[in-house]
Amino acid sequence: MQPMNPIQLQALPKVPSVAQWGFEGATVNDDIIKRTIWEGAIPIEFNLNKDEITTMTPPLPFYALASRNSYITILSNTVKDHFSNAAPAVVDEIWFDYKGIPLKWHYPVGVLYDLLVGGSLLSSGKKTELPWPLTIHFQGFPANAILRCPNEETIRQHYNNVLKEANHIKHGDNNKVNRLSLQDSNDLWDGLRLSEYDRFNNVNRQLQATIENIKFIPLRVCQLNQFNPTILQDLVAPKDDQGKDLTLADVLSQILPDLFQNQNASSSSSSSTTTTTTSTKEKEKEKYSPNTQSPSITSNIITTYIDSSDSTPNRNEPSPNTLSSSSKKITPQVIIQGIQPPLETTIFWLSEFLSPADNFLYIIGNIPQPRQ
């Protein structure tokens, strides 16, 4: 991540469109796709909470270009230093919010942006908000809403834990991560922290699996709802029982069969190609799921993105996407790494090319809110 002048915002490179990439089939080199995804970044405008300003004149905003793969708290010290002369003493920890919503720093920056802002393109057709306006707080840490992050080592430990979880899902064990040398482990973290693709990728490629030997795809399906989103995590194989490569549409139909329909599969074959028997699935979960999970995530369990702000809309009002069990199924619209991939893209390809540095594939879409 790096500070930037507001003038630079007008000269940000654009990520190639899906059509330019060609996706599977590809007229471009695989490394070009991975490097382009890696270079994706979110321009951010930081402002000090107006109730914490201690000077007569409000401080100027601070602008930064944050890597989609990184974590917002990696910027904490730099942003804090910019506002320290106009802010009160830090009480507890500094933290960030977007329109009153405390940011869960343990998700990558790109995931947070797509979930809270970028997804508005799917739900309402509105343009995305750039630069992303965030507020920094020196006081009032919402301990009931977000995890503590006292230092950079906390971020690194969290990243390592999520990376191990993803690789446990992929390989059935953590041998590949545990066998990394100290130098490789440092290069992996420093490559992420400093946004150095070659440094990171030289190590990360050692952790990858082929479609022939991968056990399951590490993925999380995130509900598009900035006030009360849900996150689903389940075990998904890259192929069905007949050896057919599963697509994004197949996977969404598998994880949420009562909500999403797969228009690419015939009704006669969809049930056999996108589902696994309960007994088999439970056995596989016991075998391959790690003993510890990431914060607020458990396999196949819905969790909520806690929002402690009093200024947000009434949480008791039903989401516009809420469906009853008898409602008509919908065709999903999703965002992955800031783009809308075709639903017929295979899930293995998406995992290999569009997963951020923690090796999880984050699928953000118009998932109806379950009734409580």
Side-chain angles (χ1 to χ4, degrees), residues 222-289:
C222 311
Q223 180 199 34
L224 177 58
N225 183 327
Q226 62 177 260
F227 299 115
N228 190 29
T230 60
I231 295 178
L232 300 172
Q233 184 169 319
D234 204 353
L235 292 176
V236 174
K239 296 176 179 289
D240 64 15
D241 293 338
Q242 285 70 45
K244 170 182 171 289
D245 291 346
L246 292 183
T247 66
L248 177 57
D250 292 331
V251 169
L252 291 175
S253 298
Q254 174 179 321
I255 295 177
L256 298 163
D258 294 332
L259 300 177
F260 289 147
Q261 61 184 348
N262 182 359
Q263 296 181 338
N264 297 321
S266 64
S267 58
S268 61
S269 62
S270 60
S271 60
S272 64
T273 59
T274 63
T275 60
T276 307
T277 62
T278 301
S279 59
T280 300
K281 194 172 228 182
E282 291 305 319
K283 290 179 181 179
E284 294 294 349
K285 284 182 181 179
E286 293 177 2
K287 183 177 180 181
Y288 293 112
S289 294

Side-chain angles (χ1 to χ4, degrees), residues 183-230:
Q183 183 62 53
D184 282 343
S185 296
N186 289 336
D187 283 344
L188 194 69
W189 170 246
D190 289 337
L192 169 60
R193 180 176 61 88
L194 301 173
S195 297
E196 296 180 359
Y197 172 76
D198 290 325
R199 190 173 187 177
F200 174 86
N201 193 52
N202 285 340
V203 180
N204 189 59
R205 68 177 62 174
Q206 301 177 38
L207 307 178
Q208 300 310 299
T210 66
I211 196 168
E212 287 78 21
N213 61 27
I214 191 171
K215 304 297 184 183
F216 297 98
I217 304 291
L219 62 80
R220 291 168 176 172
V221 181
C222 311
Q223 180 199 34
L224 177 58
N225 183 327
Q226 62 177 260
F227 299 115
N228 190 29
T230 60

